[in-house]
């Protein structure tokens, strides 16, 4: 933990501060280099430890590796996008937190209905189908969400929200059962913890990484749109405000004569940035879908320890 936690902290910090400090700055390069070094030291220490925090031999089973990738991809894609969907509802469309919450029900509703069904199916169908198909639904849902225009209302996200909710419901129950089902019972706690850590890491790096891309895209879109106005000088601060939901406060500093133009420019920049990070999330979710289909194999499950567990193969002479 003394190596892993600082390594992950430096990684996320570098992603968050990259736009502010410059991706080629000494601080950001040092953060990434130190993070990589600490991760290497963590791996070396775990390989030589008599009682490791994380037994790296777990990753020799493709099914465990596949479940880890699926968990990371699910969090780094759709769960990370929830923040930016909420910003769209509240700061672009002007909904209150309660109204924005109601418009998130198309995601949460399918999860409530599909998850119990998926949990029952883990005993009847290969779990890789649930994981891979779940991430495929999420991939298509994000693809549909990343097609906003300046005139889009909240219903433009509705089809994608429904598909993403179905995908989350299909994939989530099988993640936990797969992580513990492919290892010996005495390692089930470690395996479950590793899978949960991968999901939390996916959320942290997903929000940070998408946020960096989001702000950078907003700034590059805003710069030519506000050229010649009073907002052209502090465009970096304006883009940061648009990306973080502080557009209203930033606009108070804009003279009334330029305010309408800047409002339209900020709206367009937000939509452009949202579409960009949605497509990035599509790629992440697609990788998770492929990993679920390709790596999670029934024969990797310990006998009696997981869904669709295959009988042990006969010994060969």
């Amino acid at each position: 933990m003394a190596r892993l936690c600082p390594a992950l902290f430096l990684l996320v910090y570098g992603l968050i501060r990259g736009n502010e400090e410059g991706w080629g700055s000494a601080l950001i390069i040092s953060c990434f280099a130190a993070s990589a070094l600490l991760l290497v030291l963590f791996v070396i220490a775990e390989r030589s430890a008599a009682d490791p925090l994380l037994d790296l031999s777990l990753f020799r089973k493709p099914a465990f590796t596949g479940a880890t990738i699926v968990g990371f991809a699910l969090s780094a894609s759709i769960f990370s996008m929830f923040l930016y969907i909420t910003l769209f509802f509240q700061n672009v469309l002007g909904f209150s937190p309660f109204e924005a919450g109601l418009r998130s029900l198309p995601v949460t509703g399918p999860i409530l209905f599909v998850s119990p069904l998926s949990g029952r199916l883990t005993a009847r169908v290969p779990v890789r189908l649930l994981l891979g198909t779940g991430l495929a639904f999420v991939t298509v849902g994000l693809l549909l969400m990343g097609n906003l225009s300046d005139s889009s209302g909240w219903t433009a996200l509705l089809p994608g929200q429904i598909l993403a909710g179905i995908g989350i419901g299909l994939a989530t129950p099988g993640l936990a059962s797969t992580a513990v089902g492919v290892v010996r019972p005495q390692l089930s706690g470690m395996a479950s913890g590793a899978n949960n850590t991968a999901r939390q890491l996916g959320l942290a790096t997903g929000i940070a990484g998408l946020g960096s891309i989001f702000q950078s895209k907003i700034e590059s879109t805003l710069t030519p749109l506000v050229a010649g106005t009073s907002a052209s000088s502090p465009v970096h601060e304006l883009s940061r405000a648009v990306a973080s939901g502080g557009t209203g406060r930033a606009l108070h500093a804009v003279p009334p004569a330029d305010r309408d133009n800047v409002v339209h420019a900020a709206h367009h920049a937000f939509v452009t940035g949202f579409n960009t990070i949605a497509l990035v999330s599509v790629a992440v979710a697609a990788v998770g879908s492929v990993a679920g289909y390709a790596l999670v194999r029934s024969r990797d499950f310990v006998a009696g320890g997981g869904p669709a567990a295959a009988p042990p193969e006969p010994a060969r002479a």
Side-chain angles (χ1 to χ4, degrees):
M1 292 294 289
R3 299 175 184 87
L4 181 61
C5 289
L8 299 182
F9 169 80
L10 289 170
L11 173 62
V12 174
Y13 181 81
L15 290 172
I16 291 174
R17 296 295 300 173
N19 283 328
E20 300 297 322
E21 304 292 339
W23 293 101
S25 67
L27 174 63
I28 300 303
I29 292 176
S30 298
C31 284
F32 289 147
S35 175
L37 177 60
L38 288 170
L39 286 174
V40 170
L41 292 176
F42 172 77
V43 171
I44 293 173
E46 294 303 295
R47 286 176 63 90
S48 59
D51 187 21
L53 175 68
L54 175 61
D55 188 343
L56 298 177
S57 66
L58 293 176
F59 292 97
R60 294 175 185 171
K61 282 202 170 182
F64 182 82
T65 301
T68 303
I69 295 173
V70 169
F72 180 91
L74 189 64
S75 293
S77 58
I78 182 60
F79 284 116
S80 296
M81 281 295 296
F82 285 157
L83 169 63
Y84 304 100
I85 292 171
T86 302
L87 288 177
F88 175 69
F89 286 157
Q90 293 188 229
N91 295 286
V92 175
L93 300 184
F95 293 124
S96 68
F98 178 73
E99 292 170 333
L102 288 178
R103 285 160 178 81
S104 296
L105 289 177
V107 177
T108 57
I111 296 174
L112 295 176
F113 290 101
V114 176
S115 289
L117 174 62
S118 178
R120 290 191 293 270
L121 287 175
T122 56
R124 296 180 174 87
V125 300
V127 72
R128 68 184 181 89
L129 297 182
L130 299 175
L131 298 181
T133 303
L135 266 294
F137 269 93
V138 171
T139 300
V140 176
L142 287 167
L143 187 62
L144 293 177
M145 289 187 210
N147 194 33
L148 295 181
S149 67
D150 291 355
S151 60
S152 293
W154 77 272
T155 54
L157 295 178
L158 187 58
Q161 286 179 294
I162 294 173
L163 290 179
I166 293 172
I168 295 170
L170 280 174
T172 301
L175 279 175
S177 60
T178 301
V180 301
V182 298
V183 301
R184 302 190 307 275
Q186 56 268 39
L187 294 178
S188 59
M190 180 187 293
S192 178
N195 188 262
N196 285 332
T197 299
R199 295 172 71 174
Q200 295 302 319
L201 179 60
L203 188 61
T205 57
I207 290 176
L210 292 179
S212 295
I213 297 170
F214 188 50
Q215 183 177 335
S216 178
K217 186 64 177 179
I218 286 175
E219 184 168 352
S220 66
T221 304
L222 267 179
T223 300
L225 293 178
V226 300
T229 70
S230 57
S232 61
S233 179
V235 67
H236 179 72
E237 288 74 15
L238 177 60
S239 64
R240 183 169 57 183
V242 173
S244 61
T247 308
R249 294 190 301 272
L251 290 175
H252 287 309
V254 178
D258 294 329
R259 192 166 297 165
D260 286 344
N261 290 335
V262 175
V263 167
H264 291 306
H267 184 118
H268 177 74
F270 185 100
V271 168
T272 302
F274 184 95
N275 289 340
T276 299
I277 61 173
L279 292 179
V280 173
S281 297
V282 165
V284 174
V287 170
S289 179
V290 172
Y293 281 126
L295 297 178
V296 180
R297 309 171 304 181
S298 295
R299 63 178 178 271
D300 285 337
F301 285 86
V302 176
E313 296 182 1
R316 296 182 180 179

